[in-house]
Amino acid sequence: MFWDQESETLSRPALEALQLQRLQQTVSRLAARVPFYQQKFAELGVGPDDIRRLEDVRRLPFTTAADLRAIYPSGLLAVEADEPVRLHTSSGTTGKPKAIFFSRNDVNTAADMIARSLVAAGITRADVFQNMMSYGLFTGGLVMHYGAERVGCLVIPAGPGTSERQLMLMQDFGTTAVHILPSYALYFANYLEQKGIDPRKDLKLRKAFVGAEPHTEQTRKRIEEAFGVDVYNSYGLTEMNGPGVAFECEQKAGMHLWEDCFLLEIIDPATGEPLPDGQRGELVLTTLKREAMPILRYRTRDITSVIAEPCPCGRTHRRIHRITGRSDDMLIIRGVNIFPQQIEQVLMSMPQVGRNYLIIVEGLDDLTVKVELSDRGFDGQVEHLAALQNQLVEKLKAEIWVRPKVDLVPPGSLPVAEGKAKRVLDKRSL
Ligand code: ADP
Ligand code: ZN
């Protein structure tokens, strides 16, 4: 099933010709209207006439999160000041947020990308779509909402309310699909278990869209098993409209990145040099259809690689692999580079491990992993606890090459964040 079959299955040459045309238009607009880019173009000695082939994108300047913070709150408007109709900001974990402006067409384009994505995962107008992400400045609420509405679903703007209310809405309105943070999905699974609710029998859920934070394949499997649903990975970032940048189709094997809207590059984060398909590096995105605030070569800091092989679903837009981490999430412990996802992967593959964990780094690079036990997977015998603890230490050591301390804690005892999960507490920087 397709939302927009023609656009989604364009031949590669046609898609690339469209990309080039849109890139040229974007660069021309920026050169004519946006002082920030005018200055960067002047420094690099490039202009719209230099963009003759797609590879010429490499002559253009990068844009960084720091650039966007520095120009906050004014944005990089390429339209008249009264043109934008919507503002979102990124949650801004450090320092000032980044403000992103949308024109009416931008709002429509974002909704279309979501509609494509949901339909690619088998959503139809018959679905009841409960959006459990925060509404407000965060794009996971409104942007996803507009897209699901466009498909024709009954959309329930539940927001991140209490688990009790989420459950009530699911039961009362027969929710079939949810949009949810992976960390909250695991927490909600615990809640249902405590309430004695069996989602397979008591709810109508069939699909869950999870994203907005990194998670592993093991976490996907856990969510699928807990709820009896298909889980689809959804990637996006505020700077590029929010959700709907890249999305899994029914194959669940990598996320199609909508290449008629975004030009994709993978670079070596250290040198900025391009990397070939298949090689892991930093995702860099250029908006191709944005009116209000086009952005060139945005350094997402997200680490992934391109899957060049065509997808059996027939969509020609290339896929990216699950994000393995954000370059700024990388921990350096005793000289070794570690991504929190490596730890999650080990933990979530063990049935005795519950659904929450916390990574603590302190002192002289001491790594502690606090791990919740699962209710059912463990019998409470002390010697079994000690054995499990040792097993986890060894498995983690084999994965990350650093020997951590492992603390086993009771189910439900670790803190749960309001929004995106905070998995790492690095006390070295405090
Ligand atoms: P903030 O940058 O403040 O966290 P955003 O909501 O814009 O606010 O977050 C976007 C970021 O969230 C992405 O750059 C990426 O790091 C992360 N993210 C979003 N979706 C996924 C996903 N499916 N898998 C992994 N990480 C994701
Ligand atoms: Zn596909």
Side-chain angles (χ1 to χ4, degrees), residues 268-280:
D268 176 333
T271 63
E273 287 305 310
L275 293 175
D277 283 356
Q279 211 154 314
R280 215 148 63 132

Side-chain angles (χ1 to χ4, degrees), residues 218-361:
Q218 285 73 14
T219 295
R220 183 220 300 266
K221 292 212 180 77
R222 282 193 168 217
I223 300 172
E224 292 193 324
E225 277 157 23
F227 295 94
V229 296
D230 279 308
V231 168
Y232 300 89
N233 193 0
S234 143
Y235 170 78
L237 62 167
T238 312
E239 297 86 325
M240 299 286 133
N241 301 346
V245 174
F247 225 91
E248 280 181 335
C249 65
E250 282 187 299
Q251 303 288 327
K252 296 199 283 192
M255 301 178 281
H256 289 282
L257 194 140
W258 299 121
E259 292 188 86
D260 54 344
C261 253
F262 304 102
L263 186 66
L264 122 84
E265 297 171 79
I266 302 285
I267 63 164
D268 176 333
T271 63
E273 287 305 310
L275 293 175
D277 283 356
Q279 211 154 314
R280 215 148 63 132
E282 179 179 348
L283 177 66
V284 171
L285 294 171
T286 296
T287 64
L288 294 176
K289 253 188 114 174
R290 263 246 189 95
E291 284 183 351
M293 190 172 162
I295 298 179
L296 297 182
R297 306 191 80 197
Y298 186 65
R299 303 231 6 199
T300 65
R301 306 182 308 293
D302 292 323
I303 305 296
T304 184
S305 56
V306 169
I307 305 173
E309 294 81 55
C311 183
C313 76
R315 289 175 181 78
T316 49
H317 301 240
R318 285 176 300 169
R319 289 167 291 166
I320 56 171
H321 275 117
R322 180 180 291 287
I323 309 289
T324 51
R326 221 165 159 160
S327 56
D328 37 4
D329 284 345
M330 192 178 77
L331 291 164
I332 304 182
I333 297 176
R334 293 172 224 157
V336 182
N337 298 348
I338 298 172
F339 281 103
Q341 296 315 295
Q342 293 174 278
I343 294 175
E344 177 175 313
Q345 182 192 325
V346 170
L347 299 180
M348 294 298 146
S349 66
M350 306 270 293
Q352 303 96 319
V353 170
R355 293 173 178 141
N356 201 356
Y357 66 93
L358 181 65
I359 299 166
I360 301 170
V361 194

Side-chain angles (χ1 to χ4, degrees), residues 80-383:
E80 295 304 314
D82 62 359
E83 184 105 2
V85 297
R86 171 95 70 85
L87 170 74
H88 281 289
T89 68
S90 79
S91 38
T93 27
T94 48
K96 277 189 187 162
K98 297 153 252 169
I100 305 294
F101 295 83
F102 293 64
S103 69
R104 196 170 297 283
N105 284 334
D106 294 337
V107 169
N108 277 326
T109 304
D112 263 330
M113 294 309 117
I114 303 270
R116 277 187 194 178
S117 306
L118 294 177
V119 171
I123 292 292
T124 72
R125 54 179 292 146
D127 278 291
V128 178
F129 189 96
Q130 187 161 328
N131 190 4
M132 297 163 76
M133 297 270 188
S134 167
Y135 278 68
L137 289 166
F138 177 52
T139 51
L142 279 175
V143 173
M144 184 62 96
H145 186 107
Y146 273 53
E149 230 177 60
R150 181 152 296 200
V151 174
C153 303
L154 172 66
V155 189
I156 307 177
T162 61
S163 297
E164 189 182 353
R165 197 158 62 132
Q166 301 287 1
L167 174 59
M168 186 192 83
L169 291 167
M170 285 178 188
Q171 289 177 317
D172 291 352
F173 299 105
T175 302
T176 59
V178 292
H179 179 217
I180 188 169
L181 288 169
S183 53
Y184 183 58
L186 293 173
Y187 175 82
F188 190 61
N190 278 347
Y191 173 83
L192 293 185
E193 239 166 53
Q194 279 161 17
K195 290 274 155 190
I197 302 276
D198 175 357
R200 285 181 176 74
K201 288 209 300 269
D202 304 328
L203 301 175
K204 294 196 176 134
L205 288 180
R206 59 183 198 101
K207 290 179 192 286
F209 298 94
V210 309
E213 58 186 23
H215 56 290
T216 57
E217 197 56 43
Q218 285 73 14
T219 295
R220 183 220 300 266
K221 292 212 180 77
R222 282 193 168 217
I223 300 172
E224 292 193 324
E225 277 157 23
F227 295 94
V229 296
D230 279 308
V231 168
Y232 300 89
N233 193 0
S234 143
Y235 170 78
L237 62 167
T238 312
E239 297 86 325
M240 299 286 133
N241 301 346
V245 174
F247 225 91
E248 280 181 335
C249 65
E250 282 187 299
Q251 303 288 327
K252 296 199 283 192
M255 301 178 281
H256 289 282
L257 194 140
W258 299 121
E259 292 188 86
D260 54 344
C261 253
F262 304 102
L263 186 66
L264 122 84
E265 297 171 79
I266 302 285
I267 63 164
D268 176 333
T271 63
E273 287 305 310
L275 293 175
D277 283 356
Q279 211 154 314
R280 215 148 63 132
E282 179 179 348
L283 177 66
V284 171
L285 294 171
T286 296
T287 64
L288 294 176
K289 253 188 114 174
R290 263 246 189 95
E291 284 183 351
M293 190 172 162
I295 298 179
L296 297 182
R297 306 191 80 197
Y298 186 65
R299 303 231 6 199
T300 65
R301 306 182 308 293
D302 292 323
I303 305 296
T304 184
S305 56
V306 169
I307 305 173
E309 294 81 55
C311 183
C313 76
R315 289 175 181 78
T316 49
H317 301 240
R318 285 176 300 169
R319 289 167 291 166
I320 56 171
H321 275 117
R322 180 180 291 287
I323 309 289
T324 51
R326 221 165 159 160
S327 56
D328 37 4
D329 284 345
M330 192 178 77
L331 291 164
I332 304 182
I333 297 176
R334 293 172 224 157
V336 182
N337 298 348
I338 298 172
F339 281 103
Q341 296 315 295
Q342 293 174 278
I343 294 175
E344 177 175 313
Q345 182 192 325
V346 170
L347 299 180
M348 294 298 146
S349 66
M350 306 270 293
Q352 303 96 319
V353 170
R355 293 173 178 141
N356 201 356
Y357 66 93
L358 181 65
I359 299 166
I360 301 170
V361 194
E362 58 197 333
L364 288 172
D365 288 4
D366 290 322
L367 173 66
T368 303
V369 185
K370 285 187 184 269
V371 180
E372 282 188 9
L373 290 166
S374 67
D375 281 338
R376 287 172 299 177
F378 194 70
D379 62 8
Q381 291 209 39
V382 185
E383 56 278 22

